[in-house]
Amino acid sequence: MITDQRPAESHGHTHRDVNGGWLRPAVFGAMDGLVSNLALVTGIAGSSVATQTIVVTGLAGLAAGAFSMAAGEYTSVASQRELVQAELDVERLELRRNPHDEQRELADLYVARGVDRALAAEVAAQLMRDPEQALEIHAREELGVDPHDLPSPTVAALSSFASFALGALLPVLPFLLGATALWPAVLTALAGLFACGAVVSRVTARSWWFGGLRQLVLGGAAAAVTYGLGGLFGAAVG
């Protein structure tokens, strides 16, 4: 009999990092920077102020927003991380004090997922032999987190700061390069919104045109509203 001695083909696959703590603040920061500073610049321009005032206002909005976003992201991610660490400490203490109860609890989780009771008990007993492995399994099953892959507050803050600053720079950039009319800033910002939405769609597996168009419409609507309000308030003050 002739047997095939070729090694079995590997059908493994990899996943993208969805827990690194950088994607959400980076995306949110870029979008927020573009939309908020575009709205700020168009609102100021709508009140018929000098170009220098628009530039100063836009740069001030960039700096204030970037630092605010970074501080907020750092605080929120750090607080979430500290909460998870506190829960892990509780779980670690329970594993040390009541190992049999924790082993039975783990077995019950597997039984609830359809594993045979005897097999679930054997698997739980083997997993509980290593305290660190037991903690990791309990954290995944009960808390839905990986103790070794918690989001970093520093990464979140830096991602948010850099992306917000980059997004907020686009509406001001034409004025810094010598433009005196509003339309180059609006076109630049809208193009940036479309491009940002399209790039994000590559990560989230949405169609690029849908992601880009969605961000363009939202940013354009915000700019139109604030431009109208700027003109209204400027006329009222004047």
Side-chain angles (χ1 to χ4, degrees):
M1 183 192 327
I2 299 176
T3 58
D4 190 351
Q5 299 296 324
R6 291 176 300 175
E9 293 184 6
S10 173
H11 296 283
H13 62 282
T14 59
H15 292 284
R16 289 166 288 190
D17 179 16
V18 296
N19 294 317
W22 64 270
L23 180 59
R24 186 189 68 82
V27 171
F28 183 66
M31 299 300 182
D32 193 21
L34 270 165
V35 174
S36 64
N37 229 29
L38 174 60
L40 179 62
V41 166
T42 54
I44 293 296
S47 62
S48 302
V49 298
T51 302
Q52 183 180 3
T53 303
I54 297 176
V55 172
V56 171
T57 302
L59 292 177
L62 183 157
F67 281 108
S68 176
M69 286 286 294
E73 282 294 336
Y74 186 90
T75 302
S76 64
V77 175
S79 299
Q80 180 185 10
R81 187 185 180 95
E82 290 163 1
L83 175 60
V84 172
Q85 293 287 6
E87 291 300 314
L88 289 175
D89 289 340
V90 171
E91 191 64 38
R92 188 179 289 109
L93 183 61
E94 286 299 313
L95 286 169
R96 190 165 58 248
R97 286 181 173 176
N98 305 299
H100 297 295
D101 291 340
E102 292 296 311
Q103 179 176 324
R104 184 168 58 253
E105 182 180 350
L106 186 59
D108 289 340
L109 285 172
Y110 291 135
V111 170
R113 294 186 178 184
V115 180
D116 179 77
R117 168 68 66 177
L119 179 58
E122 179 62 26
V123 171
Q126 292 187 28
L127 292 175
M128 291 289 291
R129 292 173 183 172
D130 182 350
E132 285 304 313
Q133 178 178 256
L135 176 64
E136 182 176 341
I137 296 298
H138 277 272
R140 289 177 182 272
E141 296 293 340
E142 297 179 29
L143 304 177
V145 299
D146 182 351
H148 305 298
D149 192 25
L150 299 179
S152 166
T154 302
V155 170
L158 291 177
S159 299
S160 181
F161 181 94
S163 60
F164 185 98
L166 180 61
L169 179 63
L170 290 182
V172 188
L173 188 59
F175 292 107
L176 293 175
L177 296 177
T180 56
L182 178 61
W183 65 264
V186 173
L187 289 181
T188 301
L190 291 180
L193 281 168
F194 185 87
C196 191
V199 169
V200 170
S201 71
R202 300 294 297 175
V203 179
T204 59
R206 271 199 177 272
S207 59
W208 64 270
W209 61 266
F210 176 83
L213 188 61
R214 178 176 59 182
Q215 297 307 322
L216 187 150
V217 169
L218 292 174
V225 170
T226 52
Y227 182 82
L229 291 175
L232 180 64
F233 294 154
V237 173

